[in-house]
Amino acid sequence: MQRIFLGHARVGDEVEMRYEMTSELVDQYVRTTGDCNPWYTGHSPFGGPVAPPVLICMQHSMMLSEKFLSRGRMLISTDASYSGPVLVGATIIAKGRIVANYIKRDRQYIDMEAESWSGDGRLLIRDRRSYLPKYSKGRGE
Amino acid sequence: MRVTIEEIDIGFELPPSSHVIDVHGMNKGELVDSENQKSNAIHFDEQFSRQQGFSSPVATGMTSTFYANQLLTDFFGEDWFSGGSLATKYILPMYFGETIICRARVIGKEKEQAGCRLDMELWAEKPDGQKNMVGSASVLVRTI
């Protein structure tokens, strides 16, 4: 599927991604951040290894990249609420919807609301994130 | 966590955390992959990032959110996974090699049926105090 410039997104556009929260994804996060919480790779109060909640939120941006070009895009804000732990190995279904496309102080903003659900139907995370399709001012690529 | 909920009141500041934004971790095939078409060149392409108005490639917007998550996870433990919320707004670009310090301060404390709700302001700042991220967090504390 040919991806399009995020600035051309329309309110109502939807994206979806199904993936597994693998130990490799968590290891990637640990190597990138230096956050070596033993719960991410070993036993946790929830049983086995658990994913950092913010990693699931980050997958919402990856999901957006399935449909929209990421080149030049900048994340400006996030607002997330976590409903429960995500165990490593869990299947996650993420869904997002463009809810706003507007100009503020000469810059175009695109807002997406997204949710991640477990394979057995539990809501895991809900967030709203705001992007600049490009940092420089005005609409267009 | 080293304190009890009774010891936490409005004005309490969580122990801050300090991080150096690591170009090797962020760019070299980790969360941003220069060989992946879906990766954003603003994080690894010198020329492109300058064309966009930056002095050099910028760290991902989520960088300070990752560090805030670490701060809150380390302090609140399992309570953070089960009912936390985190809002962050990135107000200044962050560049690789920079040091950022994450801080959180309690601004509200309310007893609820299942525990005690703490509301916090949080931010990330450079060593000179200039903020590059502002935000808020909330957690229902049950286990401390």
Side-chain angles (χ1 to χ4, degrees):
Chain A
M1 182 182 73
Q2 190 171 6
R3 291 177 298 141
I4 60 174
F5 173 56
L6 182 60
H8 295 160
R10 295 164 300 182
V11 172
D13 281 348
E14 293 181 337
V15 288
E16 187 169 329
M17 186 169 78
R18 185 183 181 102
Y19 66 99
E20 183 183 331
M21 180 50 68
T22 61
S23 58
E24 287 74 28
L25 266 177
V26 176
D27 286 346
Q28 216 176 51
Y29 169 87
V30 172
R31 286 198 301 273
T32 300
T33 61
D35 181 2
C36 302
N37 191 318
W39 292 358
Y40 298 152
T41 52
H43 184 75
S44 75
F46 311 105
V50 63
V54 69
L55 180 56
I56 293 95
C57 288
M58 196 195 151
Q59 300 306 309
H60 291 169
S61 276
M62 298 300 186
M63 172 176 66
L64 194 64
S65 297
E66 293 289 320
K67 192 168 183 172
F68 298 100
L69 292 166
S70 61
R71 186 174 172 88
R73 180 177 87 198
M74 289 199 74
L75 180 63
I76 293 301
S77 67
T78 67
D79 188 352
S81 58
Y82 313 130
S83 303
V86 176
L87 291 177
V88 173
T91 295
I92 298 176
I93 299 132
K95 296 182 182 182
R97 185 170 174 272
I98 304 297
V99 296
N101 180 341
Y102 57 98
I103 296 278
K104 186 168 80 172
R105 289 197 287 268
D106 295 326
R107 286 200 167 95
Q108 184 187 18
Y109 290 75
I110 300 286
D111 290 2
M112 177 179 75
E113 289 182 348
E115 293 178 343
S116 280
W117 296 77
S118 66
D120 60 2
R122 284 180 303 117
L123 177 64
L124 300 170
I125 283 169
R126 176 179 281 139
D127 82 344
R128 180 175 177 130
R129 36 191 52 220
S130 187
Y131 297 89
L132 296 177
K134 64 184 181 91
Y135 184 66
S136 50
K137 295 186 176 183
R139 284 190 189 266
E141 296 184 50
Chain B
M1 187 165 161
R2 292 162 290 281
V3 297
T4 64
I5 190 65
E6 289 76 25
E7 295 172 280
I8 298 174
D9 214 334
I10 291 170
F12 178 86
E13 189 166 331
L14 276 61
S17 64
S18 179
H19 310 267
V20 177
I21 301 171
D22 177 17
V23 62
H24 296 290
M26 199 66 66
N27 274 2
K28 302 293 185 185
E30 300 286 357
L31 291 179
V32 175
D33 181 356
S34 59
E35 294 181 5
N36 182 343
Q37 285 186 0
K38 293 179 185 174
S39 286
N40 190 342
I42 209 163
H43 301 308
F44 57 82
D45 190 315
E46 290 273 353
Q47 185 180 9
F48 181 75
S49 57
R50 283 199 203 97
Q51 286 170 353
Q52 296 300 304
F54 301 103
S55 59
S56 64
V58 292
T60 64
M62 290 290 290
T63 301
S64 54
T65 303
F66 293 151
Y67 296 143
N69 174 80
Q70 183 177 354
L71 180 76
L72 295 161
T73 303
D74 286 352
F75 195 82
F76 293 109
E78 58 185 287
D79 289 332
W80 180 244
F81 290 86
S82 301
S85 65
L86 176 60
T88 53
K89 185 176 177 182
Y90 316 116
I91 58 177
L92 270 185
M94 291 176 290
Y95 295 97
F96 298 103
E98 281 188 332
T99 296
I100 66 168
I101 301 156
C102 268
R103 298 184 182 274
R105 180 185 298 129
V106 174
I107 58 171
K109 182 180 179 182
E110 286 286 337
K111 282 193 177 161
E112 295 183 4
Q113 194 170 8
C116 187
R117 169 77 53 189
L118 294 179
D119 293 315
M120 291 159 279
E121 59 176 349
L122 62 87
W123 66 99
E125 61 187 23
K126 298 183 184 184
D128 65 4
Q130 192 177 30
K131 290 179 181 173
N132 44 28
M133 181 272 278
V134 293
S136 61
S138 179
V139 63
L140 183 64
V141 177
R142 300 180 181 91
T143 63
I144 57 157

